[in-house]
Amino acid sequence: GGPSALQSVLAGSRSHSRQIDVLSRARLDLLESGLTRDVQARKSALERLTRALPADAGSLAQLAELYTNLRQFDRAEATLRQAVATESGRADLWNSFGYALAYLGRYPEADLAMKEYERADPATANPLDSRGEILLMAGRFREAAKTFESAWEKDKDFNRGAALEKAALALWLDGEKQEAGQYLDRYLAARQQSGDPAAE
């Protein structure tokens, strides 16, 4: 069996839909939407699934990602708020929640969400990198540069050292072109030292 065989099974299950409960129907429709790549069908299935399982953070996260891709940021934010209330220790949810808030222009709340992300995942550089991006979006360029530099110091190989390049961008946007150039030189030197052939 391949995708076509699975689609035949799903089509057969549809003919018995009265005998299938709402949750199972939503799961089957979600599976089918993955095969057909039908975004609206996927959205409908996930909305029904999260109504049936309001504490399922995984399904909420999938629905929020879909809303974000559709640029429905208010819906993404509300869905992720529900998700973090369900699983407050899950780091990836705080990261997504922070971006959803930032896309709505709610930067102070987004910054707080990123601080929660860092609390949930203190060992990696990504929370600092994400917070730097939120600060950059908010126009807090100097603070963004310091945060990006902290991310780079935490893990110089994270994302191929791009946090230092972002720090240079933040300083350039702040009008500090000479300092931005120094940061860019540090970034390029670090990439050369790591053996990155693109650094030249």
Side-chain angles (χ1 to χ4, degrees):
S4 59
L6 185 53
Q7 282 176 301
S8 297
V9 171
L10 290 168
S13 72
R14 193 171 297 284
S15 65
H16 301 289
S17 60
R18 285 198 198 125
Q19 299 165 16
I20 299 176
D21 62 271
V22 172
L23 182 57
S24 297
R25 177 78 268 155
R27 284 180 171 148
L28 286 169
D29 288 348
L30 182 60
L31 181 59
E32 187 175 12
S33 72
L35 293 170
T36 60
R37 299 191 174 155
D38 185 332
V39 174
Q40 290 306 317
R42 181 173 175 78
K43 181 163 83 77
S44 172
L46 280 168
E47 286 171 341
R48 284 178 283 128
L49 191 58
T50 53
R51 278 197 298 272
L53 295 171
D56 181 1
S59 296
L60 289 166
Q62 287 183 64
L63 180 58
E65 182 181 9
L66 187 58
Y67 282 145
T68 300
N69 292 339
L70 294 170
R71 304 186 66 78
Q72 297 176 2
F73 301 128
D74 53 341
R75 289 185 171 191
E77 184 274 333
T79 304
L80 285 161
R81 186 177 296 278
Q82 184 179 341
V84 295
T86 301
E87 284 192 39
S88 61
R90 198 169 138 179
D92 63 315
L93 295 177
W94 285 109
N95 190 33
S96 298
F97 186 40
Y99 279 109
L101 287 161
Y103 295 145
L104 290 168
R106 291 159 58 180
Y107 299 118
E109 290 175 80
D111 191 31
L112 289 173
M114 289 308 179
K115 287 177 180 174
E116 288 296 332
Y117 176 26
E118 189 177 2
R119 270 193 277 276
D121 184 16
T124 69
N126 198 58
L128 287 166
D129 188 68
S130 292
R131 183 168 181 251
E133 290 186 349
I134 298 302
L135 292 167
L136 193 68
M137 290 167 70
R140 292 161 61 182
F141 302 128
R142 172 64 58 173
E143 198 175 344
K146 283 179 64 89
T147 306
F148 284 132
E149 187 173 19
S150 295
W152 182 76
E153 286 171 350
K154 188 157 205 166
D155 183 356
K156 291 179 173 60
D157 291 323
F158 170 74
N159 203 14
R160 297 173 64 84
L164 205 56
E165 185 183 22
K166 292 178 193 176
L169 172 63
L171 289 165
W172 183 78
L173 290 169
D174 201 37
E176 301 291 342
K177 292 184 171 53
Q178 184 175 351
E179 194 176 356
Q182 292 167 356
Y183 271 68
L184 193 58
D185 287 343
R186 284 172 62 197
Y187 166 69
L188 292 171
R191 294 319 304 152
Q192 285 177 326
Q193 191 174 17
S194 71
D196 183 355
E200 292 299 330

